[in-house]
Amino acid sequence: MKQPATTPSVDMLIVGAGFAGLYMLHKARCMGLDAMVIESAPSVGGTWYHNRYPGARVDIQSLEYSFSFDEALQQEWRWTERYAGQPELLRYANHVADRFGLRDGIRFDTRMRGAQFDEAAGEWVLQSECGETWRTRFLVMASGPLSSPNRPDFPGLGGFDGPVFHTADWPHEPVDFGGQRVAVIGTGSSAVQTIPIIAQQARELTVFQRTAAYAAPARNGPLDPAFEGRVKADYKNFRARNRRMHGGFGNLLPPNPVSALAVSAAEREARFEERWRIGGFAILGAFNDLLTNLQANALLAEFVRGKIRSTVHDPATAALLSPTHTIGCKRLCVDSGYYETFNLPNVRLVDVSTQPIERFDARGLFIGGRHHEFDTLVLATGFDAMTGTMLRLDLRGRGGLRIQDKWQAGPLNYLGLGIAGFPNLFNIAGPGSTSAFTNVIVAIEHHVDWIADCIGHMQAHGKTLIEVDERAEAGWAEHVNAAAKRTVFLSCNSWYLGANIPGKPRMFMPLADGFPRYADHCAEVARKGYEGFVLR
Ligand code: NA7
């Protein structure tokens, strides 16, 4: 195809058409900016476009995990279930795109290859994988914290004869597991959601587990119209109250402001039971120190292990399914019948914690010299989280600084929003922000609004360039680290730490400070004229 004579230029280029990219595009247009989105997929939805494995479902209630920026939108959209499934979430993303007329601003099937900062022009020059080029003043990475699937480099996997699926890159046509011998590798959130459904279809299911998962029951079901009515009658304030909650959700059931260590065993059990019956993340708020005090945490961990023992009939399987690490240190899974699945006669659990998967052959895999045979493989092995997508790009800032060099020891940033040496680049819900620790839609709306206000401030003051000050960046790294140290999150090998990817630098990436404190901090920075940033 003939290239245009001049490189097209926009005010803002947004990478990704998930919830972050959609709202950023809408907001930028409302400000009168000439903005466009590039998206590698053929349609909108991001996470909910790609993670379409059977059982994929949000783990925060849909009335909370949804946009609040438009009153008419939040009133008119009707969720059918307490926790929406992937198809409904994808319909919602499509509805948002149509309702706000966003599709004509999105270039689908267009994958970013890289972008370089042109210092003379004060612009980013971005290339797609197909060689198209755009110039933009502002580059917004809305590419998601969990968007690069982790495909472990198992020896011989390429020689396996059967189909191989990854939960984060699931085919669009239904996969029929009927009559199949299926293997699932991984027991994180995705596996916990899909295993009960695959088990119903497969002739045999073998689950390869490296670390046992803590899962709390979702108690999913049809959304109660009376409850929906109550929330919607006061939706604006309901959302505002959620923004003052640590995780950006759950204002109807605030954490119990009492230490788990300050009550009797009977009282503790009663509070745990109460929250277990409610379901989801509620249990983590049964006391106020479950995620900050290892002793308190151990009491909840034992409570959940008790639930596993009373659910799983075979004691050896129950023992293998019982996690020994800190609960909540890896994200708590929210399940529908996960532990019960291991009572089925066609389901088998194989421990790979001490003896890892050695290699594949055409018909299965070997562990400790023993062959396990199956027809179909499901990799539920998660993501190269928070940095994986950015580090695959040819992204170069001032003086040709490569993002791979900048982030060699971990993802340095300021407020999660900017990176020193990468002017006019904003990152949504990335490392250094509360991101994955928050109801991520609350995190996204906050970031988009902050970026829009920041650009508005620049316009009002005749500035065209904003850049993070290196000292502020260093201070923020300490802040993020200090916040993690006040919690139990450093006590296990999670993707928050980069520990799931061999060779990845270990740095605690999300901010564990709670959304309200973080949002207040960002507001304070703005109020002080974007302290910690240099504006020109
Ligand atoms: P997760 O939570 O990262 O889970 C991935 C699982 O895959 C986990 O059990 C891993 O064990 C396992 N894994 C990864 N690599 C291997 C190898 N090489 N061998 C055996 N097992 C392996 O990803 P999910 O997709 O389930 O969920 C990600 C987030 O999405 C979740 O936190 C929610 O926020 C939504 P490990 O625990 O590392 O020992």
Side-chain angles (χ1 to χ4, degrees):
M1 200 174 78
K2 221 172 136 224
Q3 290 293 315
T6 52
T7 306
S9 177
V10 291
D11 298 326
M12 179 186 283
L13 220 151
I14 302 156
V15 181
F19 287 128
L22 290 177
Y23 181 40
M24 189 73 251
L25 177 61
H26 173 64
K27 189 86 184 182
R29 282 178 161 182
C30 291
M31 294 175 71
L33 295 178
D34 178 15
M36 72 173 276
V37 175
I38 61 166
E39 165 59 58
S40 59
S43 190
V44 299
T47 288
W48 301 109
Y49 179 87
H50 295 286
N51 289 262
R52 46 179 81 212
Y53 58 85
R57 188 174 291 290
V58 66
D59 56 9
I60 289 174
Q61 294 193 51
S62 306
L63 282 169
E64 306 185 276
Y65 184 91
S66 45
F67 281 127
S68 71
F69 69 84
D70 188 274
E71 177 64 12
L73 169 68
Q74 66 178 1
Q75 289 296 338
E76 77 199 6
W77 183 263
R78 306 287 309 270
W79 297 105
T80 62
E81 291 177 280
R82 191 175 173 204
Y83 296 93
Q86 175 271 336
E88 191 168 17
L89 286 154
L90 192 57
R91 281 200 297 281
Y92 177 70
N94 277 281
H95 172 73
V96 171
D98 292 332
R99 192 185 196 291
F100 297 100
L102 300 176
R103 282 185 205 277
D104 64 352
I106 307 172
R107 277 289 301 269
F108 293 108
D109 297 306
T110 304
R111 182 179 289 278
M112 176 178 181
R113 189 178 66 76
Q116 299 78 41
F117 187 65
D118 175 346
E119 294 189 42
E123 290 179 343
W124 284 93
V125 184
L126 182 142
Q127 304 82 31
S128 75
E129 287 285 7
C130 293
E132 284 172 290
T133 302
W134 292 270
R135 285 187 162 268
T136 181
R137 182 154 300 279
F138 296 105
L139 177 58
V140 179
M141 298 304 296
S143 44
L146 295 164
S147 48
S148 284
N150 169 34
R151 297 174 192 277
D153 190 14
F154 295 117
L157 178 56
F160 175 65
D161 255 355
V164 179
F165 303 104
H166 194 295
T167 46
D169 187 15
W170 201 262
H172 286 228
E173 54 286 354
V175 176
D176 181 9
F177 293 108
Q180 302 273 308
R181 295 168 305 169
V182 182
V184 174
I185 301 179
T187 49
S189 292
S190 303
V192 161
Q193 289 188 331
T194 204
I195 282 168
I197 297 181
I198 295 178
Q200 285 165 19
Q201 302 169 6
R203 173 153 64 91
E204 275 174 27
L205 172 63
T206 310
V207 176
F208 295 94
Q209 171 187 282
R210 187 164 70 182
T211 309
Y214 290 103
R219 314 267 183 231
N220 188 34
L223 186 59
D224 172 10
F227 174 63
E228 180 187 6
R230 277 201 305 281
V231 169
K232 287 189 170 177
D234 187 31
Y235 223 162
K236 196 161 171 266
N237 289 317
F238 177 86
R239 301 285 201 182
R241 287 193 295 273
N242 264 355
R243 283 192 284 271
R244 300 316 297 168
M245 300 300 292
H246 190 89
F249 68 102
N251 77 80
L252 293 179
L253 187 66
N256 179 9
V258 173
S259 163
L261 306 172
V263 297
S264 68
E267 163 74 3
R268 202 161 45 232
E269 195 74 4
R271 296 286 83 79
F272 285 156
E273 280 294 349
E274 191 177 86
R275 298 244 173 178
W276 186 260
R277 272 196 299 277
I278 292 166
F281 291 121
I283 191 102
L284 294 176
F287 295 97
N288 68 359
D289 50 359
L290 296 171
L291 294 177
T292 51
N293 180 310
L294 287 172
Q295 226 185 319
N297 185 285
L299 295 165
L300 175 59
E302 186 48 31
F303 172 83
V304 177
R305 283 192 291 268
K307 292 290 178 193
I308 298 170
R309 284 192 294 271
S310 64
T311 305
V312 179
H313 302 156
D314 172 44
T317 307
L320 199 50
L321 282 169
S322 296
T324 51
H325 60 277
T326 319
I327 183 167
C329 174
K330 292 170 186 266
R331 189 178 171 109
L332 180 68
C333 301
V334 176
D335 81 301
S336 298
Y338 174 65
Y339 298 121
E340 290 84 342
T341 300
F342 293 89
N343 291 330
L344 297 175
N346 62 329
V347 178
R348 215 161 53 91
L349 184 64
V350 177
D351 178 22
V352 297
S353 62
T354 46
Q355 286 190 308
I357 293 165
E358 282 164 24
R359 65 183 174 90
F360 278 74
D361 68 359
R363 291 179 302 119
L365 59 78
F366 291 88
I367 297 166
R370 183 173 164 207
H371 193 243
H372 298 264
E373 201 169 308
F374 44 85
D375 310 307
T376 301
L377 174 65
V378 174
L379 295 171
T381 44
F383 301 86
D384 184 352
M386 309 214 86
T387 57
T389 302
M390 294 265 279
L391 289 173
R392 280 175 174 80
L393 300 172
D394 177 18
L395 189 62
R396 280 177 274 152
R398 210 181 263 293
L401 175 63
R402 295 167 69 241
I403 190 74
Q404 291 80 2
D405 295 329
K406 171 82 196 188
W407 281 2
Q408 198 175 16
L412 285 173
N413 65 77
Y414 180 48
L415 304 180
L417 282 154
I419 305 165
F422 293 74
N424 286 5
L425 181 148
F426 297 105
N427 201 5
I428 298 183
S433 71
T434 55
S435 175
F437 277 156
T438 320
N439 172 355
V440 82
I441 300 208
V442 168
I444 285 168
E445 288 192 324
H446 168 250
H447 271 182
V448 169
D449 291 346
W450 192 96
I451 293 166
D453 287 348
C454 175
I455 292 174
H457 173 93
M458 290 172 70
Q459 287 171 331
H461 292 81
K463 308 287 183 189
T464 54
L465 210 79
I466 180 162
E467 188 168 1
V468 169
D469 182 294
E470 275 186 354
R471 280 163 308 178
E473 189 174 71
W476 192 249
E478 278 172 30
H479 181 82
V480 172
N481 196 31
K485 279 186 176 157
R486 291 193 293 271
T487 70
V488 300
F489 293 118
L490 295 174
S491 64
C492 77
N493 288 326
S494 67
W495 59 255
Y496 301 138
L497 261 173
N500 63 327
I501 304 294
K504 189 165 172 168
R506 280 174 91 97
M507 175 171 167
F508 197 80
M509 294 183 286
L511 173 64
D513 223 7
F515 180 75
R517 280 185 73 181
Y518 171 64
D520 288 349
H521 196 112
C522 293
E524 185 65 4
V525 164
R527 203 184 56 73
K528 290 185 174 162
Y530 295 88
E531 192 180 50
F533 291 91
V534 179
L535 278 76
R536 291 192 192 90

